[in-house]
Amino acid sequence: LAQAILAGGDLDGIFHVISLCFWRQDSEQIGTLVAAMSKFLIAASLSLRALAESQPLSVFGHKAPDTDTISSAIVYAWELNERNIPATAYRLGELNPETEYVLKALDVPAPPLLTTLGDKSVVAVVDTNNPQELPDGITKASIHSIVDHHKLSGLSNAEPLEVDMRPLCSATSILYARAKAAGLVPPPKIAGLMLSGLLSDSLEFRSPTTTETDKVYAAELGKLAKLDVHAHAEAMLEAKANVDHLSPSELIMMDTKVFKIGGKSLRVSVLETTKASGPLAKKAKLVEAMTELVKKEKVDDVLFFVVDIMEEAATFISSSPTAASLVEKAWNVKVDKEGLALLPGVLSRKKQIIPKLEAAAKLEEL
């Protein structure tokens, strides 16, 4: 009887017969059935594990990936595998100069490029929850989990999922907090990636998104990664500024996101650099590239901000009267005849630029 039930995989039947055996006080039959049930559960567990291993989670962040996105995808894949959940990190675009430097310095291979996303794909998302920043098939995929430090932006799922969103400066900061809570000690390369994502998004603690927790984590990660935190940050900033070889359109698309603001679709691009004079010298070509991008993508406007990390200020480059008007209202400044506006103290798109633009758009609607 036990063998028959095991062969049929009828777990309810096994429990039913066990209850009858208890009622009859037949210890020998109980033992036989418990053994059968144990074999069944072990077999089922191995089958599920084999299925999971044949379909590992795809872990990725947003398009136009930055250092935090690439680092957090690799780190989260590491965490999931440590939890016996097979996962593979991917990227949704080409690496920027800073990220290339980080991976080379840490001797970490770049994640493969995700080319397609099938309807039945199981994915984990890091450093975003905005559908517009993710592959086209994301709405049909099954989302296992999200780890992010941005505001809620509309990503949905048919089933409940694990979401970890915290107001820290980077996704890798959250992943380090998760590792600490789970008793996982990141190996040096993983710790180096965690540190790199944190330093990149915080601009070595200059950004207003930086918290005291981030600073504590950076010190701890520096020790785990065996890296001098300041020296590593300086090298990253130097690599970030190495953009002379990039075309105007590449500069605009290197760190860019699309937002719905005031009923309009706006692409908001940011170029963080320690050498702002280089990109600003290409202003005319940048304006041409933004104009072409509006036509190509059918967005309402492209807004481009060159962030001078050392001066802690952003320069807005206008490509249209509507973009200039929105920025003037947002910061109460005047865009000059060259199409430029200096915005002192502005470093963060997430915490400063987007909230200001949204507030100005609401005023325009009144």
Side-chain angles (χ1 to χ4, degrees):
L1 177 61
Q3 290 173 347
I5 294 172
L6 178 61
D10 185 358
L11 194 57
D12 287 337
I14 292 176
F15 280 111
H16 176 67
V17 176
I18 287 176
S19 65
L20 288 176
C21 292
F22 270 110
W23 180 65
R24 293 176 180 174
Q25 297 184 343
D26 191 336
S27 59
E28 184 177 348
Q29 287 294 331
I30 291 173
T32 301
L33 284 165
V34 168
M37 185 171 68
S38 297
K39 290 179 182 178
F40 172 79
L41 292 175
I42 292 171
S45 175
L46 291 174
S47 297
L48 289 172
R49 178 66 186 275
L51 178 62
E53 288 177 346
S54 67
Q55 297 179 322
L57 292 178
S58 297
V59 185
F60 49 80
H62 54 73
K63 297 174 183 177
D66 56 16
T67 299
D68 189 38
T69 284
I70 296 296
S71 295
S72 57
I74 298 171
V75 170
Y76 193 34
W78 165 79
E79 180 201 305
L80 290 167
N81 282 296
E82 288 293 308
R83 291 164 51 190
N84 293 319
I85 302 173
T88 302
Y90 290 93
R91 57 186 170 89
L92 299 186
E94 298 306 315
L95 304 179
N96 65 38
E98 180 192 66
T99 309
E100 287 182 338
Y101 165 78
V102 166
L103 296 182
K104 184 177 180 180
L106 298 176
D107 191 26
V108 175
L113 185 67
L114 185 70
T115 54
T116 58
L117 195 62
D119 292 351
K120 297 182 180 179
S121 297
V122 183
V123 305
V125 178
V126 295
D127 199 31
T128 184
N129 67 96
N130 186 341
Q132 296 186 62
E133 298 173 11
L134 293 166
D136 294 336
I138 193 66
T139 56
K140 296 181 180 180
S142 176
I143 303 174
H144 168 272
S145 51
I146 300 172
V147 178
D148 191 19
H149 63 125
H150 296 90
K151 68 176 184 176
L152 291 169
S153 298
L155 188 60
S156 61
N157 197 47
E159 300 173 350
L161 70 158
E162 180 182 327
V163 178
D164 193 338
M165 298 177 69
R166 312 187 196 189
L168 297 177
C169 80
S170 68
T172 54
S173 297
I174 299 172
L175 288 164
Y176 179 53
R178 290 169 61 88
K180 285 166 66 76
L184 295 174
V185 179
K189 290 183 181 182
I190 294 296
L193 290 170
M194 290 174 167
L195 176 63
S196 300
L198 189 162
L199 291 174
S200 178
D201 269 20
S202 71
L203 302 177
E204 196 187 8
F205 317 127
R206 295 175 177 85
S207 172
T209 60
T210 309
T211 69
E212 291 303 314
T213 300
D214 291 305
K215 294 177 182 178
V216 171
Y217 286 175
E220 294 176 358
L221 288 167
K223 293 177 182 177
L224 289 170
K226 298 179 174 59
L227 289 171
D228 181 295
V229 173
H230 178 65
H232 186 55
E234 287 284 294
M236 288 174 60
L237 290 174
E238 183 66 26
K240 190 191 287 278
N242 183 24
V243 295
D244 291 342
H245 63 292
L246 299 177
S247 68
S249 60
E250 288 173 327
L251 291 175
I252 293 166
M253 294 301 293
M254 191 166 66
D255 186 357
T256 184
K257 297 182 179 183
V258 175
F259 298 88
K260 285 288 185 182
I261 298 177
K264 295 181 178 180
S265 179
L266 304 181
R267 179 171 287 284
V268 182
S269 300
V270 173
L271 176 62
E272 299 167 342
T273 180
T274 57
K275 302 173 183 177
S277 59
L280 290 175
K282 300 178 180 180
K283 182 184 73 67
K285 294 292 184 182
L286 287 167
V287 171
E288 289 179 13
M290 284 188 274
T291 303
E292 287 300 315
L293 194 58
V294 168
K295 295 177 183 176
K296 178 183 177 181
E297 294 194 336
K298 294 181 172 56
V299 293
D300 293 291
D301 261 318
V302 175
L303 283 72
F304 188 52
F305 299 82
V306 178
V307 174
D308 189 322
I309 298 169
M310 307 312 293
E311 294 296 326
E312 299 192 11
T315 298
F316 166 69
I317 300 178
S318 174
S319 61
S320 73
T322 51
S325 175
L326 183 59
V327 168
E328 287 179 337
K329 288 183 174 67
W331 281 276
N332 193 27
V333 296
K334 188 70 177 175
V335 175
D336 65 24
K337 61 181 181 180
E338 298 296 325
L340 303 175
L342 182 65
L343 308 174
V346 174
L347 293 169
S348 170
R349 174 173 48 204
K350 177 178 68 176
K351 198 161 185 175
Q352 295 173 304
I353 294 175
I354 298 305
K356 282 281 191 180
L357 294 176
E358 289 176 334
K362 287 179 180 179
L363 288 176
E364 286 186 342
E365 293 172 356
L366 296 177

